[in-house]
Amino acid sequence: MRITIIGAGPGGYETALAAANKGIEVTLVSAGPLGGTCLNEGCIPTKALCRTAEVLENCRHASDFGILTEEPKVDFPRVMQRKDEVVEQLRGGIAFLMKHKLITLLYGKASFKDAHTVRIVLEDGTETDVESDYIIVATGSQPASLPIPGADAEGVITSTDILSLGSIPERLCIIGAGVIGLEFASVFRSFGSEVTVLEYCREVLPRFDTDLAKRLKQSLSKKGISIETSAEVKEVVPLVDGSFEVRYMKKDNLQGVIADKVLMAVGRRPALESINFADLGIETTRRGVCVNAYMQTNVPSVYAVGDITGGMMLAHAATFQGLRALNHILAGQPAEGKVDAIDLELVPAAVFTSPEAAMVGMTEDQCKAEGRDCICKKSFFRANGKAVSMGEPDGYCKIVADAADGRILGCHLFGPHAADLIHEMTAWMNKGATLGDMAAMVHAHPTLDEVLQAAAHS
Ligand code: NAD
């Protein structure tokens, strides 16, 4: 069997490897560097910057731990160089994996010729056609922008541009308090920028639990990040000295923030122009390529996975959607029934602010909206021995469970290592566990995971 995979992000390259390991001949086509958005302009470079911010904060607070140091200074070119080294190292790792004898890696721009043939314009300008039984499209997303005056001005930057800044902006205004907005707010506040975040909704992280979002906002505000919610950005006005005034409406008042750089972080949109979907009659909407539960498009030999399908734009979601598509192919494309044990409804999400936030499953608000009777169990990191010893007592955990049988429906937390802790909850939920099951499992002491158990016991 042969499969052509278009796009080499976590949706594309992980599926290519899994398919090759099953004995399938794979052609992987990439228009950009290996690793896609996640590795080159998303998860990984931002996590390298988050780590620098963490080291900086640790140095700043060293005296609290009885360590006397000089005031730390940021060597920004070195910070960015380290970030590039991290990306380069991981890209080398993927390149090594793609040397699999069943994978042919082609760099170029692919388009559909027919339902089984992809035409590729290679980097040297030559063209080649590749035929296969199936095609999987994983061409990702692009930063979205607001249709407002000044949005295209030089100095109004995207989450990609901010990763190659030459210096730390003195004043940074971030439009959007979603995941990207808050992660960069946290990092650049640590680096010394004066940061203002403007958010259209009533709370930050609109897709997260409201309670958690409120508490995280307070925690970030305490660190000196100015966050304006219910603020609708109307215009970005370039000023004569090279700075900007970002104008926004709040409570019927037009207000302004002056900044040296403006980060547009109002979401990402599927890269629908990346390939000629319409020529093959593949159904799309503004939200992305339409797929069924097996990630199959209306053209049976063509699948689409990851950001291009809209929905949850997360690297790990793309990977598991790719595996779902592969499993459907391997199972002979059944029209219904299970083809694997992957639960694509149960996808944890993490925000790498300081402290981190993470969630899995249903929020309390969602339960209410669906008329589902739920109970909420809470605990605090300030009562956790490990968190207090680490000097990181700020944080909170909420477990949402079914009121009738105690089955765990969701977990929402922020605090040290929240992004790692969420997997214990994901595992419980994956096995349909109850609060009682959780409370009965011995947790080692002193560990951060005890926060979760404390909530189950509460
Ligand atoms: P997002 O959808 O998470 O947040 C965008 C925010 O912009 C929302 O809060 C929205 O209300 C706000 N907004 C929209 N219009 C506005 C206006 N006129 N004025 C003020 N605010 C406005 O999008 P994002 O943060 O840009 O992230 C894009 C995607 O990338 C998301 O799907 C996200 O999950 C993903 N991502 C994930 C991670 C991670 O997993 N750690 C990190 C980065 C990005």
Side-chain angles (χ1 to χ4, degrees), residues 146 176 178-180 183 198-201 206-207 265 267 313-314 350:
L146 290 177
V179 183
I180 294 182
E183 286 184 2
L198 302 174
E199 167 58 46
Y200 176 75
C201 293
R207 277 173 248 169
M313 293 193 176
L314 298 169

Side-chain angles (χ1 to χ4, degrees), residues 36 64 79 100 127-128 192 210 286 305 367 371 392 431 440 442:
D64 297 348
V79 170
H100 195 292
E127 283 184 2
T128 182
T210 320
R286 224 164 39 86
V305 304
C367 288
E392 295 182 51
K431 296 294 166 208
V442 181

